[in-house]
mmCIF file of all heavy atoms in Angstrom:
data_model
loop_
_atom_site.group_PDB
_atom_site.id
_atom_site.type_symbol
_atom_site.label_atom_id
_atom_site.label_comp_id
_atom_site.label_asym_id
_atom_site.label_seq_id
_atom_site.Cartn_x
_atom_site.Cartn_y
_atom_site.Cartn_z
ATOM 1 N N LEU A 366 98.163 88.789 93.168
ATOM 2 C CA LEU A 366 98.486 90.097 93.510
ATOM 3 C C LEU A 366 98.158 90.395 94.991
ATOM 4 O O LEU A 366 98.971 90.882 95.691
ATOM 5 C CB LEU A 366 97.785 91.196 92.676
ATOM 6 C CG LEU A 366 97.810 92.570 93.111
ATOM 7 C CD1 LEU A 366 99.334 93.135 92.966
ATOM 8 C CD2 LEU A 366 96.899 93.605 92.236
ATOM 9 N N PHE A 367 96.998 89.812 95.429
ATOM 10 C CA PHE A 367 96.632 89.985 96.789
ATOM 11 C C PHE A 367 97.681 89.348 97.702
ATOM 12 O O PHE A 367 98.111 89.840 98.669
ATOM 13 C CB PHE A 367 95.240 89.357 97.015
ATOM 14 C CG PHE A 367 94.775 89.378 98.403
ATOM 15 C CD1 PHE A 367 94.285 90.544 99.006
ATOM 16 C CD2 PHE A 367 94.760 88.274 99.264
ATOM 17 C CE1 PHE A 367 93.878 90.653 100.369
ATOM 18 C CE2 PHE A 367 94.326 88.268 100.603
ATOM 19 C CZ PHE A 367 93.953 89.476 101.127
ATOM 20 N N ASP A 368 97.965 88.181 97.362
ATOM 21 C CA ASP A 368 99.131 87.385 98.068
ATOM 22 C C ASP A 368 100.342 88.141 98.150
ATOM 23 O O ASP A 368 101.024 88.171 99.194
ATOM 24 C CB ASP A 368 99.307 86.047 97.603
ATOM 25 C CG ASP A 368 98.153 85.006 97.902
ATOM 26 O OD1 ASP A 368 97.396 85.313 98.778
ATOM 27 O OD2 ASP A 368 98.084 83.958 97.220
ATOM 28 N N THR A 369 100.697 88.850 97.138
ATOM 29 C CA THR A 369 101.956 89.636 97.030
ATOM 30 C C THR A 369 101.863 90.883 97.969
ATOM 31 O O THR A 369 102.702 91.203 98.798
ATOM 32 C CB THR A 369 102.314 90.029 95.576
ATOM 33 O OG1 THR A 369 102.419 88.789 94.730
ATOM 34 C CG2 THR A 369 103.508 90.888 95.597
ATOM 35 N N LEU A 370 100.685 91.551 97.862
ATOM 36 C CA LEU A 370 100.496 92.681 98.703
ATOM 37 C C LEU A 370 100.442 92.501 100.191
ATOM 38 O O LEU A 370 101.015 93.231 100.950
ATOM 39 C CB LEU A 370 99.191 93.376 98.312
ATOM 40 C CG LEU A 370 99.150 93.972 96.817
ATOM 41 C CD1 LEU A 370 97.715 94.495 96.476
ATOM 42 C CD2 LEU A 370 100.169 95.238 96.842
ATOM 43 N N THR A 371 99.918 91.336 100.550
ATOM 44 C CA THR A 371 99.754 91.030 101.937
ATOM 45 C C THR A 371 101.048 90.256 102.531
ATOM 46 O O THR A 371 101.191 90.185 103.683
ATOM 47 C CB THR A 371 98.632 90.102 102.249
ATOM 48 O OG1 THR A 371 98.729 88.904 101.484
ATOM 49 C CG2 THR A 371 97.228 90.816 101.901
ATOM 50 N N ARG A 372 101.827 89.846 101.693
ATOM 51 C CA ARG A 372 103.092 89.045 102.119
ATOM 52 C C ARG A 372 102.781 88.044 103.152
ATOM 53 O O ARG A 372 103.498 87.911 104.135
ATOM 54 C CB ARG A 372 104.060 90.010 102.552
ATOM 55 C CG ARG A 372 104.693 90.868 101.446
ATOM 56 C CD ARG A 372 105.792 91.791 102.077
ATOM 57 N NE ARG A 372 105.261 93.133 101.879
ATOM 58 C CZ ARG A 372 105.568 94.187 102.586
ATOM 59 N NH1 ARG A 372 106.380 94.019 103.680
ATOM 60 N NH2 ARG A 372 105.114 95.393 102.418
ATOM 61 N N SER A 373 101.728 87.322 102.819
ATOM 62 C CA SER A 373 101.251 86.266 103.865
ATOM 63 C C SER A 373 101.555 84.849 103.494
ATOM 64 O O SER A 373 101.159 84.650 102.287
ATOM 65 C CB SER A 373 99.624 86.619 104.214
ATOM 66 O OG SER A 373 99.254 85.560 105.083
ATOM 67 N N PRO A 374 102.220 84.103 104.251
ATOM 68 C CA PRO A 374 102.512 82.743 103.819
ATOM 69 C C PRO A 374 101.220 81.846 103.947
ATOM 70 O O PRO A 374 101.231 80.785 103.396
ATOM 71 C CB PRO A 374 103.608 82.300 104.765
ATOM 72 C CG PRO A 374 103.378 83.218 106.004
ATOM 73 C CD PRO A 374 102.739 84.420 105.483
ATOM 74 N N GLN A 375 100.256 82.353 104.520
ATOM 75 C CA GLN A 375 99.030 81.437 104.701
ATOM 76 C C GLN A 375 98.161 81.475 103.509
ATOM 77 O O GLN A 375 98.350 82.348 102.652
ATOM 78 C CB GLN A 375 98.200 81.930 106.028
ATOM 79 C CG GLN A 375 98.789 81.791 107.266
ATOM 80 C CD GLN A 375 99.777 82.811 107.631
ATOM 81 O OE1 GLN A 375 99.918 83.926 106.890
ATOM 82 N NE2 GLN A 375 100.546 82.723 108.724
ATOM 83 N N ASP A 376 97.354 80.420 103.363
ATOM 84 C CA ASP A 376 96.427 80.333 102.241
ATOM 85 C C ASP A 376 95.353 81.407 102.346
ATOM 86 O O ASP A 376 94.805 81.680 103.384
ATOM 87 C CB ASP A 376 95.798 78.911 102.117
ATOM 88 C CG ASP A 376 96.701 77.733 101.936
ATOM 89 O OD1 ASP A 376 97.670 78.083 101.244
ATOM 90 O OD2 ASP A 376 96.463 76.653 102.413
ATOM 91 N N SER A 377 95.148 82.006 101.253
ATOM 92 C CA SER A 377 94.114 83.150 101.196
ATOM 93 C C SER A 377 92.994 82.737 100.242
ATOM 94 O O SER A 377 93.237 81.890 99.384
ATOM 95 C CB SER A 377 94.752 84.403 100.838
ATOM 96 O OG SER A 377 95.423 84.374 99.523
ATOM 97 N N THR A 378 91.981 83.483 100.360
ATOM 98 C CA THR A 378 90.796 83.255 99.479
ATOM 99 C C THR A 378 90.200 84.588 98.984
ATOM 100 O O THR A 378 90.220 85.529 99.827
ATOM 101 C CB THR A 378 89.693 82.492 100.258
ATOM 102 O OG1 THR A 378 90.052 81.240 100.663
ATOM 103 C CG2 THR A 378 88.435 82.256 99.292
ATOM 104 N N ILE A 379 89.858 84.680 97.756
ATOM 105 C CA ILE A 379 89.172 85.784 97.201
ATOM 106 C C ILE A 379 87.873 85.407 96.533
ATOM 107 O O ILE A 379 87.785 84.494 95.834
ATOM 108 C CB ILE A 379 89.954 86.621 96.244
ATOM 109 C CG1 ILE A 379 91.239 87.152 96.835
ATOM 110 C CG2 ILE A 379 89.288 87.712 95.505
ATOM 111 C CD1 ILE A 379 92.208 87.927 95.894
#
Side-chain angles (χ1 to χ4, degrees):
L366 175 63
F367 178 77
D368 287 343
T369 301
L370 291 172
T371 58
R372 289 182 245 150
S373 176
Q375 292 85 6
D376 292 333
S377 63
T378 299
I379 294 180

